[in-house]
Amino acid sequence: MSEIIRSFLAVELPELLKFKLAEFIASLQMKTSKTKWAREANLHLTLKFLGNQPADKIDALIPALIRGNSILKPFRLTTTKLGAFPGKKRPRVFWLGTESTPSNALMILRNWIEDNLEPLGFEKETKPFRPHLTLGRSKIPENFDALWEYLEAHPFPPFSFEVEHFVLMRSILKPAGAEYRVLQKFSLQK
Ligand code: 3AM
């Protein structure tokens, strides 16, 4: 039987953006006590969560996604505002929004992935795509008034970068938190 691999497809972030986000997160961390904030190395933008799959099924998706190289084009991503899922009233996930240029580029990439993986047995996502960079997760409720107030005065300055590839990332769940490892890089057409 083949090994089971937990993985997802993601846009990697430039080191400088991860560094700046880690500084930003450190300032938010001081306003909370029970929220779990993301580690710098783990910051990314998820395109599609693949879950636990046999290694052969993951191997089979690699050639299908490599073909994107002749179809998909690089684009720019710019970070926007901090938001929360499901909402600010009882946040469970804190995230930073993104905007792509051209504006539909990220959606085109995500839809191309969905369309190309479906024939390989990966179910299409039914929930609307809300691209974001997860910064933290709140499982134990706490008062976020100080955090929201701080964010009004100290938003994350917009950061732009060119997306020239996306990755297949393995997620290894460990007691100290998930560890992510790039399994494969998929270039976008130059
Ligand atoms: O990029 P974020 O942090 O939003 O929430 C998980 C994370 O997304 C998501 O996959 C990314 C890498 O772990 N994820 C985890 N379990 C999931 C599930 N069952 C899931 N997304 C959808 N369904």
Side-chain angles (χ1 to χ4, degrees), residues 158-176:
F159 185 105
S160 285
F161 63 100
E162 195 76 1
V163 178
E164 291 173 331
H165 71 273
F166 65 98
V167 295
L168 170 64
M169 196 84 94
R170 181 168 187 169
S171 165
I172 299 161
L173 299 178
K174 297 200 165 171

Side-chain angles (χ1 to χ4, degrees), residues 33-108:
S33 57
K34 300 182 177 86
T35 299
K36 208 167 178 293
W37 295 96
R39 279 185 287 152
E40 182 174 344
N42 280 4
L43 294 163
H44 65 272
L45 184 151
T46 299
L47 293 165
K48 183 171 179 66
F49 179 69
L50 303 171
N52 290 314
Q53 303 285 356
D56 335 5
K57 197 171 160 187
I58 295 298
D59 288 345
L61 70 69
I62 293 174
L65 294 183
I66 286 176
R67 285 200 293 273
N69 177 276
S70 61
I71 298 153
L72 300 160
K73 294 193 177 69
F75 57 93
R76 277 193 93 63
L77 263 191
T78 304
T79 63
T80 61
K81 273 170 56 173
L82 191 124
F85 291 142
K88 285 189 172 176
K89 243 177 149 181
R90 170 59 188 106
R92 285 188 172 73
V93 176
F94 290 100
W95 46 263
L96 200 63
T98 62
E99 264 171 16
S100 60
T101 313
S103 61
N104 58 355
L106 188 57
M107 192 57 105
I108 288 175

Side-chain angles (χ1 to χ4, degrees), residues 6 8 44 46 49 132 134 137 171 180:
R6 179 184 166 91
F8 59 98
H44 65 272
T46 299
F49 179 69
H132 62 272
T134 296
R137 291 173 193 279
S171 165
Y180 299 149

Side-chain angles (χ1 to χ4, degrees), residues 7 9 12 34 46 50 55 62 65 86 89 106 115 136 143 145 150 169 181-182:
S7 67
L9 297 166
E12 284 191 296
K34 300 182 177 86
T46 299
L50 303 171
I62 293 174
L65 294 183
K89 243 177 149 181
L106 188 57
D115 291 346
N143 187 321
D145 291 350
Y150 175 83
M169 196 84 94
R181 283 188 209 155
V182 174

